[in-house]
Amino acid sequence: MNVTGHTRRPASIRDVATAAGVSYQTVSRVINGHPSVRPSTRERVLAAIEELGFRRNATALALASGRSRAVTVLTANTTHYGYASILQGIEEAARAASYAVGIGVLESAEDAAVAAEVQRAADAGGGIVVIAYDPAGVRALAAVPAGLPVVGVVETPATPPGGDRPWVWADDREAAYQATRHLLSLGHETVHYVAIPSSTRRTSARTGGWRQALKEAGAPEPRPVQSSWGPAGGHAAGLKLARDPSVTAILCGNDDLALGVLRALHETGRPVPGEVSVAGFDDAPHSAFLTPSLTTVRLDFTGLGRSAFALLHGVLEESAPVAPHPVSVPELVVRESSGPPPAGT
Amino acid sequence: MNVTGHTRRPASIRDVATAAGVSYQTVSRVINGHPSVRPSTRERVLAAIEELGFRRNATALALASGRSRAVTVLTANTTHYGYASILQGIEEAARAASYAVGIGVLESAEDAAVAAEVQRAADAGGGIVVIAYDPAGVRALAAVPAGLPVVGVVETPATPPGGDRPWVWADDREAAYQATRHLLSLGHETVHYVAIPSSTRRTSARTGGWRQALKEAGAPEPRPVQSSWGPAGGHAAGLKLARDPSVTAILCGNDDLALGVLRALHETGRPVPGEVSVAGFDDAPHSAFLTPSLTTVRLDFTGLGRSAFALLHGVLEESAPVAPHPVSVPELVVRESSGPPPAGT
DNA sequence: GCGCCTTGTGTGACCGGTCACATTCATGCG
DNA sequence: CGCATGAATGTGACCGGTCACACAAGGCGC
């Protein structure tokens, strides 16, 4: 309406109050839907709000009420598929609940750096979601001071990370178990494992599922190959494994690693799936379009993010029902990269 | 120090003041580094701060001072490589300047939805960075009310999107130009183009660079194939192009599209680069590990994000020097997917 | 000795909301 | 008819900082 060239200070509830001829408290009642406001009064206030383009100041609201309707997501990474999808799920749910979403990247797993980042997140005032799939995340989750509303997105339900704090998970253990069984069922003697960083600890869910499947089948358990997150790490691991002719099946900690492994096998002249079968983890969007397309396990990261937010939302507002630990069931997706072992073996 | 079971209200400057035996204003001076505070006093205050574990309340600071040391990033997507990398760059720079980073996803390009999201970003109080690579982003940038500190990350410097507002860009036009010239220089008669959503408009930078290279070489200009962002879109486009035997070179709007195109060519039995050459855009981490590895143009998205923040930072605090429009130079990366056209042509 | 400027410190108001309580007026009920 | 009750509204303090200004003490010039 009012088009002066200058940027004017936005209208406050007191401005609205004078415009409507009521007290600021009445305005507050109207915007909060308090019942005992005479309809005619409400009408007038709403008109004034409309006319002045009033919007409730989020900062003042947070300061006065203590609640800030905000979530900060702490994560070691924003670009990898799994992380980015979880973040997206959180944002989606947060937006629906009109919460603001902040992010903090844990660039280093060093304690001081992690603590600093946790502090920053705590300063933001709202709730915190920590993606604790890796060392930095796990430490961050542990470093969140007690009493702060926090939810962890973790690898496995078997090891409660922060003791009493709520968490959500996709069942990586089950997923790794399924993928490994799939490969074994094709006739492979055993399955080698290329691990993402956190998954080397004995307690890791992905490693655990793989190990369990091997044990149940009475298959020998090769040493997992420690790797990084990206295709470069997978490539290096793949070159190593390719040298060993007994290797006929490889499970990778994520699809990016699998991509690197595929490339390494290609470079060393070992056809997939003719000689070696490869399975990934996560079902990233590109996996279906690789050549050969990648057998993998699909995890619902977006849903995981939504659940994390729902849980946090429940903690922040007692009114909101706390979701019962929602575990999304992983789904094996069989594609071209897995098949029976070569006949000669 | 003080370990009571209950979560106590954090210390305020007044708590510190009484503990140090000074007024709250003196505490404020100390935490702001004001010069005229007697060293001995400063000492006492710092000791009290330390002892009470005082941290300045960000919300109160924002309310009182007006500045909120926060950036909100508006983007249509958080999972695609380019977007995620820009976000990461922004976060990195923001963290270094101890700014909080918020994100808002533009789920729909519909005007009302975009406007709502812009409002939310504005409500957050700080600066705004809009990633305007696509219709939703472009609209969001246009919808930001004048007077708000905002920086756009845009496709091309040729079309100032918001008129007077600052923006940064990676030179997509130049990148597309380089990639197209590379393919032409290999001997291809022309280069087909599979476009990402925004790039179909005539003003688009990527399309423009491609077109310019064709024109300069006197090559015929085929109709660009409109596609989506992901590999599925590239796959569909690739199937279409594969039917045309005259197609020997394809430039894709991003590496994910290229991946889909590669797959489509594989499925239709057209060897790459034997019969068809393919080039991508962005140099995503996986592109080097595809089979065939992908010729592409590398863009420094992270650097772009950092620049965007630097620019915004300059706007928010006059003290900070405003970076001169920093354009990162794209770099052509030649890999296996491009080569000379088949001899018979 | 006086005025004046500078240094160090304190006081009150304010940012824009919420919250606890006070006040007014119309009802219902004994 | 008097009084308790509840609806409708207003007042003052408060959240935790900042800002503008006041004020005391000390040094300097004249």
Side-chain angles (χ1 to χ4, degrees), chain B residues 127-187:
Chain B
I128 302 178
V129 174
V130 181
I131 304 186
Y133 271 113
D134 48 71
V138 170
R139 269 177 224 184
L141 187 52
V144 175
L148 254 57
V150 62
V151 168
V153 180
V154 301
E155 233 195 349
T156 165
T159 47
D164 52 341
R165 45 196 56 161
W167 70 91
V168 293
W169 73 93
D171 201 342
D172 313 57
R173 184 190 182 85
E174 170 65 18
Y177 178 78
Q178 277 188 30
T180 309
R181 282 193 48 120
H182 161 69
L183 291 168
L184 291 172
S185 75
L186 288 168

Side-chain angles (χ1 to χ4, degrees), chain A residues 292-307:
Chain A
S293 60
L294 189 67
T295 292
T296 186
V297 207
R298 179 178 305 155
L299 295 176
D300 180 15
F301 288 115
T302 312
L304 193 57
R306 280 192 297 259
S307 302

